Structure formats: C-alpha cells, structure tokens
Amino acid sequence: MTREALVAGEALIDFIPDRHGPLAAVESFSRRAGGAPANVAVGLARLDRTPWFCTALATDAFGEHLASVLDREGISDRFVRHVPDARTALAFVSHGEDADREFTFYREGTADRRFDASGVPDGVLQSVDVVVVGGVTLTVEPARSATFDLVERARAADSLVCFDPNVRPELWEVDPEPTLRRMLSATDVLKASREDLGGDALPAAPDELLDAGPDAVFLTEGEAGARLVAGEDSPWECGEWRHGGYRVDDVVDTTGAGDAFTAGVVAGLVDEAAPEEVLGFANAVAAASTRSEGAMTALPDREAVRRVREDS
C-alpha cells in the first residue's frame, strides 16, 4: 500500500446546532466526525488522493464512531493509536446568520492531547511527498513534542511539511507565539486564514511569514478568495498569485471550508500542479464544501468540485 501524503493530528466530534444563533439558544445538535486533520485526510480521500492518517482515538463511544467513519472513508488504521483511558474531544459549534461559526471545546483528559507519531517509521516519511500537521496538537504536551518530532523526521526525509495553524487561543496552555514561531521555521508550505493572522501569535504580512520560515504561504481571504505568495525555494519558485474564489448562493455551513481548502492545496502539491491551478482547485473544493451541513460530511468529491468550477 502506497500513499502520497501523511496527515497527522486530532480527530474529534463536532456537535452541529439545529439553528443559527448563540449556543445558549440551541435546543439540539447533530453529531459529526471532525477535527481539522481528520477533515483534511477525508477530504484528500474524496479527491482520490487517500493519505496515511496518524491520530489518537479514545475507546469510548465517540472514539468508536470516529474509527468507523475513518474506515468507511477508506482511511487506513495503520497509524491510528487507541488510548483506552482517555475521552474524545468535543466541539460545540454555533452559527451566525451568515453561516459563519464559532467553537466551544471540551478537551479535558482527551485522546488528542496524547497524540504520538513515534509509530510512523522513517521509511514511510521517505515515501510520501507531503506531511500535513495542524496547530491543535501544538497547544499541549506531550502532543506538542510528538508533533515536532514528526516534523523534524519528515524534513530529514525530504518530505514537504504543510502546516495549518488553525489558531484556537482558548486551547493553548502556554504562550503560543514561541511554539508557532518554531513551527514556522520548520514549515515548507503554510496555509493560514485571516483569523489566524488576527492576533499576535503569527506575523501579519505575507513577507513576514516567508521570513519566518515557509517557502510558500497560502492565505484564505473569505469571499475575496485566496492568494499564494512564494519564495524562490518553493515548489513554484518566486511569485504571487491570486484567485477570487467561487460565488456560492446557497451557503449552508462554512465549518469545514478551511480544511477543504487545505485538502485541495495538498492534492495540488501531490499532483505538482501550477500555482494558478492549485489556487483555483483549492478554492473550488472549499466552495463546494459550504453547500452541506457539517465539516467532514460536507467535503466534496472531484465531480462536485468540477461542477463548482463550471458553474462560475
């Protein structure tokens, strides 16, 4: 079995509200598999680029559900570690009237805090083109050290390291800036949102981000689409490209749009696509994901992506 990418990080349960408005006003929720890295892994599978996925799952009922969802999506359990004395992290989502979202996390004693990638051999890292990590496993120990160990081994194996900060200030148990600066210095391709750059933990300008370490930076800008700023050592050499995105009139839920975009970027990296194509494809994946409820459940296949691009 061969894979072109390895995604590493948390899987959790999203509880999606039955109505828009503040969390206090919600009467009921729907359970959905989630977690940014898990979403990216499933997104790649639906785009016919099934990756390895390294994660830690609890053995409670929610963990069993996550395991069954990953199996159904064709994700191998080779690097899925089961933690019997842990809980599954929960995220309750609230939606504004424009379908944008906020998260409330329950993460005490959860399996994702004990993420461990030591079971991924160096030979696997040498065989994949891209290793994808996110910011949530950096928020606590021992998951933080495990993430850096994986990244350092990936770089030694000449795999591209793709990083999505996915900054959630409420999850950090230490000052995030030193950790994120260290991570940026080990990153080849950064994907960041406007929200990620809204605080003090990350540089705010593309040139500053490049100076911090990455060779290429993808910035998602909501309705304005996305841009790619690349240095001379990036897969596309030096340059800047923009794509205005795709208009979606029937937006239902934006919960997984950022993760869908990341999956599109990684698929483009694996396919060695031109920068304009990577941006267009990733924007279309993100747009298609907003037409359904939930994060993972809304991730599109290539046919849905093709329809978005043809209709715009």
Side-chain angles (χ1 to χ4, degrees):
M1 182 184 297
T2 60
R3 298 282 188 264
E4 295 157 313
L6 181 140
V7 182
E10 76 280 358
L12 51 77
I13 296 292
D14 288 325
F15 282 94
I16 306 298
D18 66 349
R19 66 184 71 181
H20 290 171
L23 202 61
V26 178
E27 294 289 341
S28 62
F29 299 83
S30 298
R31 179 193 66 180
R32 297 285 188 271
N39 292 338
V40 172
V42 170
L44 282 166
R46 294 188 183 175
L47 296 173
D48 304 321
R49 297 294 180 268
T50 303
W52 295 113
F53 183 42
C54 178
T55 193
L57 298 182
T59 56
D60 59 10
F62 291 131
E64 291 176 359
H65 174 66
L66 289 169
S68 67
V69 169
L70 293 172
D71 180 67
R72 185 170 67 243
E73 296 288 346
I75 305 295
S76 169
D77 65 354
R78 179 178 175 184
F79 303 123
V80 175
R81 175 172 169 258
H82 297 275
V83 186
D85 56 341
R87 301 174 181 177
T88 299
L90 309 178
F92 287 82
V93 185
S94 56
H95 288 153
E97 295 303 323
D98 60 356
D100 206 359
R101 73 284 183 271
E102 295 182 354
F103 295 87
T104 300
F105 292 93
Y106 291 82
R107 201 184 174 213
E108 187 68 30
T110 53
D112 65 293
R113 299 169 66 99
R114 292 158 63 179
F115 169 78
D116 181 359
S118 61
V120 179
D122 291 345
V124 167
L125 297 177
Q126 292 166 359
S127 71
V128 299
D129 300 318
V130 187
V131 172
V132 187
V133 297
V136 171
T137 55
L138 296 175
T139 62
V140 296
E141 289 288 8
R144 178 165 51 249
S145 293
T147 303
F148 278 120
D149 176 72
L150 175 66
V151 166
E152 289 163 3
R153 291 193 294 121
R155 288 176 64 84
D158 291 329
S159 294
L160 284 176
V161 173
C162 180
F163 175 51
D164 179 356
N166 193 23
V167 176
R168 307 287 184 199
E170 66 274 26
L171 297 181
W172 283 84
E173 297 184 356
V174 296
D175 178 4
E177 183 173 359
T179 298
L180 290 174
R181 290 277 185 176
R182 178 184 172 190
M183 185 64 227
L184 288 178
S185 71
T187 296
D188 297 299
V189 177
L190 174 71
K191 175 267 174 184
S193 67
R194 290 183 300 180
E195 291 79 8
D196 290 328
L197 305 182
D200 298 326
L202 292 172
D207 288 346
E208 294 176 335
L209 288 166
L210 289 176
D211 289 341
D215 297 321
V217 177
F218 287 87
L219 296 175
T220 57
E221 301 175 328
E223 294 181 355
R227 58 177 164 156
L228 165 61
V229 183
E232 60 183 14
D233 293 327
S234 80
W236 309 282
E237 299 184 341
C238 188
E240 181 170 350
W241 299 267
R242 290 178 179 268
H243 188 281
Y246 297 92
R247 181 178 177 83
V248 178
D249 296 321
D250 51 346
V251 172
V252 174
D253 187 359
T254 62
T255 302
D259 301 332
F261 183 92
T262 302
V265 166
V266 176
L269 287 168
V270 167
D271 292 345
E272 299 183 346
E276 299 90 344
E277 172 60 19
V278 177
L279 275 175
F281 183 73
N283 270 329
V285 178
S289 76
T290 67
R291 289 177 163 173
S292 301
E293 187 180 79
M296 188 180 292
T297 52
L299 292 165
D301 58 18
R302 285 188 179 263
E303 175 59 24
V305 175
R306 183 190 62 79
R307 291 197 299 269
V308 165
R309 302 186 81 173
E310 288 185 350
D311 292 344
S312 297

